[in-house]
Amino acid sequence: MAPVRSSLTIAEVEVKQLITPKMTKYTAEYMLAQVEDKIDSTDPTLEALKLYPIPELRTDVSNYGQWEHALAFHLRYYGLMDLVYYMKNEYPAGFGCDDFNTAVHWHRWQHHCLHAYSIIYSQAANVIEEGCLLFNWSPTDHCPHDLFKTIQEYSPL
């Protein structure tokens, strides 16, 4: 039997690959790998972070766009972007120890969550401490995804 030939040219296939979004399954191990890959390659002097500081989020959130843009830069720098933005797409209740291959991976994941949480919290403290956030958010969770989403949805009364 002769092989079936595609009617698409190589150029058409390349264009299709460029415009077709790649669906990524954000598993616990995938996101941990994203963070671990970035950690090894970060600048030990943190020069990039010093040159582009995150502004303090104002309580009226009038500088939200500027704040989020700088925050995204810092999260990307550390490989924490997927963790904050997508961690609850596949696991709405959050990741548990059973979602990782080893207990060591689970502990590393918790450490990275706390790191992301601290980055977000550090420059949104005015909004958080003045009680401006929604009432269903619990600061004891230390979930960076929940903290970011709550700030994102916040609008002054």
Side-chain angles (χ1 to χ4, degrees):
M1 182 177 220
V4 178
R5 204 171 133 84
S6 172
S7 60
L8 296 176
T9 66
I10 292 174
E12 289 171 325
V13 169
E14 288 173 353
V15 168
K16 186 176 179 182
Q17 288 173 345
L18 287 174
I19 61 174
T20 305
K22 203 186 257 188
M23 296 304 291
T24 302
K25 184 170 176 128
Y26 293 98
T27 64
E29 288 291 333
Y30 170 82
M31 285 205 237
L32 180 61
Q34 296 297 307
V35 175
E36 298 292 320
D37 286 347
K38 295 287 185 187
I39 294 298
D40 292 338
S41 65
T42 56
D43 175 9
T45 66
L46 305 178
E47 186 66 24
L49 302 180
K50 292 176 193 171
L51 294 172
Y52 191 33
I54 304 170
E56 178 69 37
L57 182 62
R58 296 183 191 126
T59 55
D60 65 359
V61 294
S62 59
N63 66 334
Y64 179 81
Q66 180 187 16
W67 175 82
E68 184 183 23
H69 187 73
L71 175 69
F73 174 84
H74 285 248
L75 294 174
R76 243 185 236 109
Y77 184 86
Y78 284 113
L80 300 169
M81 186 71 125
D82 289 346
L83 183 154
V84 173
Y85 283 82
Y86 305 111
M87 77 181 277
K88 292 202 172 176
N89 285 0
E90 299 290 332
Y91 303 84
F95 295 127
C97 189
D98 293 341
D99 297 313
F100 293 89
N101 293 337
T102 67
V104 171
H105 286 185
W106 167 241
H107 291 293
R108 275 198 232 137
W109 174 257
Q110 289 177 315
H111 175 79
H112 295 311
C113 284
L114 292 174
H115 184 196
Y117 185 92
S118 69
I119 291 171
I120 297 166
Y121 191 98
S122 70
Q123 297 305 320
N126 286 341
V127 173
I128 296 164
E129 290 170 4
E130 289 187 18
C132 299
L133 295 180
L134 303 175
F135 297 106
N136 63 354
W137 177 74
S138 169
T140 59
D141 293 339
H142 297 113
C143 174
H145 177 83
D146 290 346
L147 176 61
F148 177 73
K149 287 295 181 187
T150 302
I151 294 169
Q152 191 177 42
E153 294 167 0
Y154 166 72
S155 62
L157 300 174

